[in-house]
mmCIF file of all heavy atoms in Angstrom:
data_model
loop_
_atom_site.group_PDB
_atom_site.id
_atom_site.type_symbol
_atom_site.label_atom_id
_atom_site.label_comp_id
_atom_site.label_asym_id
_atom_site.label_seq_id
_atom_site.Cartn_x
_atom_site.Cartn_y
_atom_site.Cartn_z
ATOM 1 N N GLY X 45 17.485 21.104 46.520
ATOM 2 C CA GLY X 45 18.279 21.957 45.639
ATOM 3 C C GLY X 45 19.276 22.801 46.412
ATOM 4 O O GLY X 45 20.438 22.956 45.994
ATOM 5 N N LEU X 49 23.474 22.628 46.231
ATOM 6 C CA LEU X 49 24.304 23.808 45.953
ATOM 7 C C LEU X 49 25.115 24.247 47.167
ATOM 8 O O LEU X 49 25.900 25.199 47.075
ATOM 9 C CB LEU X 49 23.408 24.973 45.507
ATOM 10 C CG LEU X 49 22.599 24.749 44.222
ATOM 11 C CD1 LEU X 49 21.598 25.882 44.029
ATOM 12 C CD2 LEU X 49 23.522 24.650 43.010
ATOM 13 N N ASP X 55 31.953 30.672 51.962
ATOM 14 C CA ASP X 55 32.490 30.631 53.317
ATOM 15 C C ASP X 55 31.430 30.107 54.284
ATOM 16 O O ASP X 55 30.301 29.785 53.900
ATOM 17 C CB ASP X 55 32.981 32.030 53.755
ATOM 18 C CG ASP X 55 31.914 33.101 53.595
ATOM 19 O OD1 ASP X 55 30.727 32.814 53.846
ATOM 20 O OD2 ASP X 55 32.261 34.237 53.220
ATOM 21 N N ARG X 57 29.782 31.615 56.676
ATOM 22 C CA ARG X 57 28.600 32.457 56.851
ATOM 23 C C ARG X 57 27.568 32.196 55.760
ATOM 24 O O ARG X 57 26.366 32.109 56.038
ATOM 25 C CB ARG X 57 28.998 33.948 56.853
ATOM 26 C CG ARG X 57 27.800 34.873 57.071
ATOM 27 C CD ARG X 57 28.158 36.341 56.907
ATOM 28 N NE ARG X 57 26.958 37.156 57.030
ATOM 29 C CZ ARG X 57 26.067 37.341 56.060
ATOM 30 N NH1 ARG X 57 26.249 36.741 54.879
ATOM 31 N NH2 ARG X 57 25.003 38.089 56.253
ATOM 32 N N PRO X 68 13.528 26.657 58.967
ATOM 33 C CA PRO X 68 12.203 26.598 59.596
ATOM 34 C C PRO X 68 11.214 25.666 58.892
ATOM 35 O O PRO X 68 10.153 25.379 59.444
ATOM 36 C CB PRO X 68 11.712 28.054 59.500
ATOM 37 C CG PRO X 68 12.916 28.878 59.191
ATOM 38 C CD PRO X 68 13.817 27.981 58.406
ATOM 39 N N ILE X 80 2.284 10.573 51.315
ATOM 40 C CA ILE X 80 2.318 9.770 50.088
ATOM 41 C C ILE X 80 2.331 8.278 50.413
ATOM 42 O O ILE X 80 1.501 7.505 49.908
ATOM 43 C CB ILE X 80 3.544 10.136 49.236
ATOM 44 C CG1 ILE X 80 3.426 11.569 48.708
ATOM 45 C CG2 ILE X 80 3.697 9.170 48.065
ATOM 46 C CD1 ILE X 80 4.728 12.117 48.134
ATOM 47 N N GLY X 83 -0.808 7.275 52.228
ATOM 48 C CA GLY X 83 -1.920 7.215 51.280
ATOM 49 C C GLY X 83 -1.893 5.946 50.452
ATOM 50 O O GLY X 83 -2.937 5.335 50.183
ATOM 51 N N SER X 121 26.391 23.094 63.096
ATOM 52 C CA SER X 121 26.836 24.320 63.767
ATOM 53 C C SER X 121 26.989 24.171 65.277
ATOM 54 O O SER X 121 27.127 25.167 65.991
ATOM 55 C CB SER X 121 25.847 25.458 63.460
ATOM 56 O OG SER X 121 25.844 25.760 62.078
ATOM 57 N N ARG X 129 32.541 21.163 60.710
ATOM 58 C CA ARG X 129 31.490 21.769 59.889
ATOM 59 C C ARG X 129 31.593 21.324 58.435
ATOM 60 O O ARG X 129 30.570 21.069 57.786
ATOM 61 C CB ARG X 129 31.552 23.290 59.996
ATOM 62 C CG ARG X 129 31.185 23.787 61.389
ATOM 63 C CD ARG X 129 31.019 25.285 61.460
ATOM 64 N NE ARG X 129 30.468 25.680 62.754
ATOM 65 C CZ ARG X 129 30.096 26.913 63.076
ATOM 66 N NH1 ARG X 129 30.261 27.898 62.183
ATOM 67 N NH2 ARG X 129 29.589 27.179 64.261
ATOM 68 N N MET X 151 11.025 7.027 39.970
ATOM 69 C CA MET X 151 10.054 7.498 38.979
ATOM 70 C C MET X 151 10.270 6.821 37.627
ATOM 71 O O MET X 151 9.310 6.379 36.974
ATOM 72 C CB MET X 151 10.172 9.009 38.810
ATOM 73 C CG MET X 151 9.550 9.828 39.909
ATOM 74 S SD MET X 151 9.736 11.573 39.551
ATOM 75 C CE MET X 151 8.978 11.688 37.937
ATOM 76 N N ASN X 163 1.382 -12.822 40.027
ATOM 77 C CA ASN X 163 0.928 -12.617 41.403
ATOM 78 C C ASN X 163 1.272 -11.230 41.934
ATOM 79 O O ASN X 163 1.007 -10.930 43.098
ATOM 80 C CB ASN X 163 1.557 -13.673 42.322
ATOM 81 C CG ASN X 163 1.148 -15.080 41.942
ATOM 82 O OD1 ASN X 163 -0.022 -15.339 41.649
ATOM 83 N ND2 ASN X 163 2.105 -15.997 41.939
ATOM 84 N N THR X 169 16.108 -7.807 39.936
ATOM 85 C CA THR X 169 17.280 -7.620 40.797
ATOM 86 C C THR X 169 17.503 -6.127 41.040
ATOM 87 O O THR X 169 16.967 -5.276 40.310
ATOM 88 C CB THR X 169 18.539 -8.215 40.147
ATOM 89 O OG1 THR X 169 18.796 -7.521 38.911
ATOM 90 C CG2 THR X 169 18.356 -9.698 39.874
ATOM 91 N N LYS X 200 15.686 34.427 48.959
ATOM 92 C CA LYS X 200 15.892 34.516 50.404
ATOM 93 C C LYS X 200 17.169 35.237 50.807
ATOM 94 O O LYS X 200 17.396 35.465 52.006
ATOM 95 C CB LYS X 200 15.922 33.105 50.996
ATOM 96 C CG LYS X 200 14.640 32.317 50.810
ATOM 97 C CD LYS X 200 13.475 32.896 51.581
ATOM 98 C CE LYS X 200 13.628 32.675 53.074
ATOM 99 N NZ LYS X 200 12.450 33.162 53.819
ATOM 100 N N ARG X 210 22.838 34.804 42.062
ATOM 101 C CA ARG X 210 22.230 35.158 40.776
ATOM 102 C C ARG X 210 23.068 34.602 39.606
ATOM 103 O O ARG X 210 22.518 34.256 38.558
ATOM 104 C CB ARG X 210 22.092 36.676 40.662
ATOM 105 C CG ARG X 210 21.407 37.159 39.384
ATOM 106 C CD ARG X 210 21.185 38.660 39.423
ATOM 107 N NE ARG X 210 20.172 39.008 40.410
ATOM 108 C CZ ARG X 210 18.849 38.975 40.174
ATOM 109 N NH1 ARG X 210 18.413 38.600 38.989
ATOM 110 N NH2 ARG X 210 18.004 39.311 41.109
ATOM 111 N N ILE X 213 22.005 31.024 38.455
ATOM 112 C CA ILE X 213 20.681 30.744 37.912
ATOM 113 C C ILE X 213 20.735 30.258 36.466
ATOM 114 O O ILE X 213 20.210 29.185 36.135
ATOM 115 C CB ILE X 213 19.770 31.981 38.018
ATOM 116 C CG1 ILE X 213 19.607 32.399 39.492
ATOM 117 C CG2 ILE X 213 18.419 31.684 37.390
ATOM 118 C CD1 ILE X 213 18.889 31.402 40.348
ATOM 119 N N ILE X 222 18.958 20.929 29.326
ATOM 120 C CA ILE X 222 19.653 19.882 28.566
ATOM 121 C C ILE X 222 19.138 18.500 28.976
ATOM 122 O O ILE X 222 18.775 17.669 28.137
ATOM 123 C CB ILE X 222 21.174 19.975 28.767
ATOM 124 C CG1 ILE X 222 21.723 21.244 28.103
ATOM 125 C CG2 ILE X 222 21.874 18.739 28.199
ATOM 126 C CD1 ILE X 222 23.177 21.520 28.413
ATOM 127 N N MET X 238 3.476 6.426 27.691
ATOM 128 C CA MET X 238 3.280 7.632 28.497
ATOM 129 C C MET X 238 2.389 8.659 27.786
ATOM 130 O O MET X 238 1.904 9.606 28.411
ATOM 131 C CB MET X 238 4.640 8.263 28.832
ATOM 132 C CG MET X 238 5.460 7.454 29.810
ATOM 133 S SD MET X 238 4.718 7.366 31.460
ATOM 134 C CE MET X 238 5.012 9.036 32.054
ATOM 135 N N VAL X 251 -1.376 20.802 29.393
ATOM 136 C CA VAL X 251 -0.483 20.656 30.548
ATOM 137 C C VAL X 251 0.967 20.756 30.109
ATOM 138 O O VAL X 251 1.794 21.385 30.774
ATOM 139 C CB VAL X 251 -0.744 19.316 31.264
ATOM 140 C CG1 VAL X 251 0.189 19.170 32.475
ATOM 141 C CG2 VAL X 251 -2.197 19.216 31.706
ATOM 142 N N SER X 281 6.455 24.836 37.275
ATOM 143 C CA SER X 281 7.078 23.915 36.314
ATOM 144 C C SER X 281 7.209 22.528 36.921
ATOM 145 O O SER X 281 6.923 21.517 36.254
ATOM 146 C CB SER X 281 8.447 24.454 35.882
ATOM 147 O OG SER X 281 9.376 24.435 36.950
ATOM 148 N N PHE X 284 3.602 20.889 37.244
ATOM 149 C CA PHE X 284 3.021 20.398 35.993
ATOM 150 C C PHE X 284 3.828 19.249 35.395
ATOM 151 O O PHE X 284 3.265 18.361 34.745
ATOM 152 C CB PHE X 284 2.871 21.543 34.994
ATOM 153 C CG PHE X 284 1.705 22.438 35.298
ATOM 154 C CD1 PHE X 284 1.883 23.681 35.876
ATOM 155 C CD2 PHE X 284 0.409 22.017 35.030
ATOM 156 C CE1 PHE X 284 0.808 24.498 36.174
ATOM 157 C CE2 PHE X 284 -0.684 22.827 35.320
ATOM 158 C CZ PHE X 284 -0.486 24.064 35.895
ATOM 159 N N GLY X 290 1.935 11.772 36.438
ATOM 160 C CA GLY X 290 0.727 11.111 36.900
ATOM 161 C C GLY X 290 -0.212 10.758 35.772
ATOM 162 O O GLY X 290 -0.825 9.681 35.765
ATOM 163 N N ASN X 303 4.529 -8.355 31.474
ATOM 164 C CA ASN X 303 3.251 -8.374 30.762
ATOM 165 C C ASN X 303 2.441 -7.160 31.216
ATOM 166 O O ASN X 303 1.645 -7.263 32.152
ATOM 167 C CB ASN X 303 2.491 -9.668 31.047
ATOM 168 C CG ASN X 303 1.270 -9.839 30.161
ATOM 169 O OD1 ASN X 303 0.636 -8.868 29.749
ATOM 170 N ND2 ASN X 303 0.913 -11.089 29.869
ATOM 171 N N ASN X 313 -7.228 -2.931 40.350
ATOM 172 C CA ASN X 313 -6.958 -4.262 40.894
ATOM 173 C C ASN X 313 -6.070 -4.215 42.137
ATOM 174 O O ASN X 313 -5.719 -5.260 42.690
ATOM 175 C CB ASN X 313 -6.346 -5.188 39.834
ATOM 176 C CG ASN X 313 -4.970 -4.723 39.350
ATOM 177 O OD1 ASN X 313 -4.322 -3.907 39.979
ATOM 178 N ND2 ASN X 313 -4.535 -5.245 38.201
ATOM 179 N N ILE X 326 -12.611 10.827 54.507
ATOM 180 C CA ILE X 326 -13.022 11.721 55.601
ATOM 181 C C ILE X 326 -11.790 12.214 56.364
ATOM 182 O O ILE X 326 -11.657 13.405 56.675
ATOM 183 C CB ILE X 326 -13.992 10.988 56.547
ATOM 184 C CG1 ILE X 326 -15.315 10.699 55.834
ATOM 185 C CG2 ILE X 326 -14.244 11.826 57.808
ATOM 186 C CD1 ILE X 326 -16.263 9.828 56.633
ATOM 187 N N PHE X 340 1.141 27.072 55.488
ATOM 188 C CA PHE X 340 0.925 28.481 55.163
ATOM 189 C C PHE X 340 1.353 29.381 56.318
ATOM 190 O O PHE X 340 1.997 30.428 56.102
ATOM 191 C CB PHE X 340 -0.555 28.714 54.842
ATOM 192 C CG PHE X 340 -0.918 30.160 54.622
ATOM 193 C CD1 PHE X 340 -0.634 30.773 53.405
ATOM 194 C CD2 PHE X 340 -1.527 30.904 55.622
ATOM 195 C CE1 PHE X 340 -0.968 32.120 53.201
ATOM 196 C CE2 PHE X 340 -1.850 32.231 55.425
ATOM 197 C CZ PHE X 340 -1.568 32.841 54.210
#
Side-chain angles (χ1 to χ4, degrees):
L49 299 171
D55 54 37
R57 182 187 176 280
I80 294 167
S121 296
R129 293 189 171 186
M151 283 181 56
N163 298 317
T169 62
K200 298 293 289 184
R210 183 174 291 276
I213 300 295
I222 291 172
M238 290 294 287
V251 180
S281 68
F284 283 104
N303 189 329
N313 64 17
I326 293 173
F340 174 79

